[in-house]
Amino acid sequence: MSRKAIAKKRLIHLKHGVRHIRLLRKPFQIIRANFRAYLIINAILYGLVFTGMVAAMLFPNLSATRVAILEDNGTADLVRSLFNNPWLFALTILGVNVMTGALRIVLPSLLVPFTGIAIFAYKAFTLGLAMAPSTKVMAVALIPHSLTILIEFQAYALLMFGAYILGRSWVRPATIDARNHRQGYVRGLQQLGWLSLATLPLFIIGAIWEAFSLRYLVPPLTQWLL
């Protein structure tokens, strides 16, 4: 290979590297510029999940009702059917999580400011009900699953954060240096797009960890601790 070809190849790799750095840097810049709002949304989201767990432990009927809903709508059967194939299980989890974020947070927020935040806030509470350690087995499962909650809900928090920025930019264009509501909407949408890209690695890592931890960590932990 000639020196010219090698130099051209290195230049292409350098351009790709710069592009990847920009993809990583931009979401962090948005977070840094709105750090207080980011912290508040995280506190609300994780607080609602924790509140749901506590409520389910204090009022067992809430947890039982949520489990019955999962049985009735086929979610529990789907999980059991995929349990022994962790890669397919992870792919299914990834699809469900991405669709949940898109349909419950992003899409409503594109139509009515801040709507997705309210919708997913309720969803977070109900997920807390479902994940509550209401039995000894579920308490053991929560040990590795706590990392799943941290990772996956951080992705949801970024989407909620993006929905907040979009709504604020739409309602108050001056906060993003826009001349009118239309320009504010477009600029807010761009920032939501950057934050949405940042959620993909989190959703992927969370889905793989959830599938493999439930398949390979929970059973031995259950035998060891119970």
Side-chain angles (χ1 to χ4, degrees):
M1 185 180 291
S2 65
R3 291 183 178 180
K4 186 177 181 180
I6 294 174
K8 184 177 180 180
K9 189 175 181 180
R10 287 178 177 175
L11 181 60
I12 292 173
H13 289 162
L14 180 61
K15 288 181 178 179
H16 284 307
V18 171
R19 189 177 303 167
H20 291 156
I21 291 172
R22 188 188 175 199
L23 287 174
L24 292 173
R25 183 184 299 171
K26 188 64 177 181
F28 283 106
Q29 290 175 341
I30 298 170
I31 291 171
R32 187 168 61 248
N34 305 273
F35 193 61
R36 182 179 178 184
Y38 170 75
L39 289 180
I40 292 173
I41 286 174
N42 271 271
I44 291 172
L45 182 58
Y46 287 105
L48 285 168
V49 174
F50 181 73
T51 301
M53 290 182 176
V54 173
M57 289 186 287
L58 294 177
F59 306 100
N61 287 338
L62 291 174
S63 180
T65 300
R66 184 61 188 170
V67 171
I69 292 173
L70 295 177
E71 291 285 353
D72 292 340
N73 64 20
T75 301
D77 288 336
L78 178 62
V79 171
R80 284 190 287 265
S81 67
L82 296 172
F83 189 76
N84 291 323
N85 189 338
W87 283 113
L88 184 57
F89 191 15
L91 184 61
T92 303
I93 293 170
L94 175 61
V96 170
N97 288 344
V98 170
M99 290 301 295
T100 298
L103 297 178
R104 292 181 180 270
I105 302 175
V106 176
L107 183 59
S109 300
L110 296 178
L111 304 176
V112 180
F114 310 113
T115 307
I117 297 174
I119 292 173
F120 195 77
Y122 173 74
K123 178 67 174 178
F125 177 77
T126 61
L127 288 172
L129 293 176
M131 293 184 294
S134 54
T135 66
K136 291 182 179 180
V137 174
M138 291 184 70
V140 172
L142 193 59
I143 297 173
H145 199 61
S146 58
L147 183 57
T148 303
I149 295 171
L150 181 65
I151 296 171
E152 292 183 353
F153 278 90
Q154 181 55 216
Y156 289 128
L158 285 174
L159 290 178
M160 292 176 70
F161 176 57
Y164 164 77
I165 291 178
L166 172 61
R168 187 190 63 181
S169 304
W170 191 358
V171 175
R172 298 171 56 198
T175 60
I176 202 166
D177 296 327
R179 294 189 302 272
N180 50 52
H181 294 287
R182 181 178 179 180
Q183 189 179 67
Y185 181 88
V186 172
R187 291 186 179 180
L189 186 61
Q190 290 173 342
Q191 297 206 359
L192 173 58
W194 282 111
L195 292 168
S196 297
L197 285 176
T199 67
L200 291 178
L202 292 171
F203 276 136
I204 292 170
I205 294 170
I208 293 173
W209 171 255
E210 181 175 2
F212 279 81
S213 63
L214 289 175
R215 177 65 181 87
Y216 295 111
L217 287 181
V218 173
L221 275 176
T222 302
Q223 293 179 356
W224 181 42
L225 296 175
L226 299 182

